[in-house]
Amino acid sequence: MADSSFDIVSKVERQEVDNALNQAAKEISQRYDFKNVGASISWSGEKILMEANSEERVKAILDVFQSKLVKRGISLKALDAGEPQLSGKEYKIFASVEEGISQDNAKKVAKIIRDEGPKGVKAQVQGDELRVSSKSRDDLQAVIALLKGKDFDFALQFVNYR
């Protein structure tokens, strides 16, 4: 019998991020507390740029954007937001959306699977994802449960379960 397997990935749907950004921009343009503070949120190349005329307002924009991401089912672990920076009279925050599992993080996950997972489960790094395989589907379910119980500083999704 062939091995069963699944992939562990860290992907973000770009369209959902775009939708969350548009919803946040709409809310910012309508809210009273953002009137006359130069508040805005937009794409700046591959990064997201949030700007306002005070540090509190720019942090509030980030908070609005994060709440929109959560409503759209995107993990906040995928969002890498910097600290507010003063640029002229404006405060700016640059944020980026992290995708893929780095080699170091993939090795950490593989080590957890080896050490704490059921015997006979193999994990191999393939680019920016991790393939987990085993003869027993129950063992694979146990690995998924084990990893969901852990708190990583990056988002994980389990795909291609077969």
Side-chain angles (χ1 to χ4, degrees):
M1 182 179 148
D3 283 3
S4 298
S5 68
F6 68 90
D7 295 335
I8 302 173
V9 296
S10 182
K11 290 197 176 11
V12 175
E13 190 70 41
R14 171 90 177 189
Q15 185 61 49
E16 290 297 323
V17 175
D18 202 35
N19 291 343
L21 185 126
N22 291 336
Q23 287 178 337
K26 185 174 182 182
E27 182 173 322
I28 288 164
S29 70
Q30 293 174 345
R31 268 179 45 179
Y32 179 76
D33 58 336
F34 287 121
K35 293 278 188 252
N36 302 323
V37 294
S40 69
I41 180 170
S42 61
W43 286 103
S44 173
E46 285 296 305
K47 293 189 180 287
I48 298 161
L49 170 65
M50 293 161 262
E51 48 190 358
N53 65 3
S54 74
E55 190 172 345
E56 293 78 29
R57 288 295 105 213
V58 79
K59 284 182 177 177
I61 293 170
L62 177 61
D63 191 46
V64 168
F65 181 55
Q66 287 175 334
S67 71
K68 299 299 179 193
L69 285 175
V70 169
K71 284 183 183 172
R72 294 219 153 260
I74 298 171
S75 173
L76 291 182
K77 292 178 181 177
L79 183 71
D80 182 26
E83 289 298 310
Q85 302 166 338
L86 184 60
S87 171
K89 292 183 177 179
E90 299 244 306
Y91 281 88
K92 296 182 178 185
I93 293 180
F94 284 99
S96 60
V97 179
E98 303 290 321
E99 286 198 287
I101 301 174
S102 70
Q103 290 290 327
D104 293 341
N105 289 338
K107 287 178 184 172
K108 284 181 201 169
V109 173
K111 181 168 175 30
I112 288 172
I113 292 170
R114 249 191 337 273
D115 295 347
E116 301 176 31
K119 299 288 177 238
V121 175
K122 295 186 285 293
Q124 59 203 68
V125 178
Q126 296 181 330
D128 61 352
E129 55 185 50
L130 195 68
R131 163 86 33 101
V132 180
S133 58
S134 172
K135 296 229 181 283
S136 164
R137 285 180 167 238
D138 291 342
D139 288 350
L140 293 180
Q141 293 285 355
V143 168
I144 290 174
L146 169 74
L147 294 177
K148 282 185 177 177
K150 298 284 181 192
D151 186 30
F152 295 105
D153 55 352
F154 52 96
L156 290 180
Q157 291 91 31
F158 306 100
V159 296
N160 296 340
Y161 184 79
R162 48 178 165 254

